[in-house]
Amino acid sequence: MKKSFDTTQLAAYSERLEKRLFENSHYQAAKNMVLFSSLPDEPDMTAILVHALDSHKKVWLPAVIDEERMEIRRYLGAGSLAEGAFHILEP
């Protein structure tokens, strides 16, 4: 079960996540990243997605195919997203 956070807490967690990730040597060396599109009650991944693309990393996001299958698709920027299953943005 997910823990509920208010918008202030989520913003603070998102900023801490970004800072820790951007300073991480594995992130810095990575050529490919598998990330996720955030729901409103999850840390905001927007800055991480933008930073990864700006750092010339290939970014991949999950997409729901049906009730039993998912696939990873290339993320090419916010314009490449459409609402998919469960109202989650997918490439």
Side-chain angles (χ1 to χ4, degrees):
M1 181 177 204
K2 276 189 187 179
K3 185 175 179 182
S4 295
F5 299 102
D6 66 35
T7 55
T8 303
Q9 289 173 311
L10 274 175
Y13 291 139
S14 298
E15 287 179 26
R16 281 202 325 240
L17 176 64
E18 293 162 17
K19 183 177 178 359
R20 290 185 69 184
L21 183 66
F22 298 156
E23 293 174 351
N24 184 283
S25 62
H26 296 288
Y27 171 80
Q28 293 169 4
K31 304 269 188 253
N32 289 278
M33 300 290 304
V34 178
L35 299 170
F36 64 92
S37 293
S38 313
L39 291 173
D41 63 339
E42 297 175 333
D44 186 357
M45 298 297 290
T46 305
I48 294 170
L49 290 166
V50 168
H51 188 274
L53 285 183
D54 288 349
S55 300
H56 308 288
K57 299 177 188 307
K58 290 181 183 174
V59 178
W60 307 87
L61 300 176
V64 175
I65 304 303
D66 57 36
E67 291 182 9
E68 297 178 1
R69 297 179 299 149
M70 294 177 71
E71 68 182 20
I72 302 299
R73 295 182 183 163
R74 181 101 181 258
Y75 170 72
L76 300 172
S80 71
L81 298 176
E83 188 174 310
F86 311 106
H87 306 288
I88 299 171
L89 294 175
E90 303 174 342

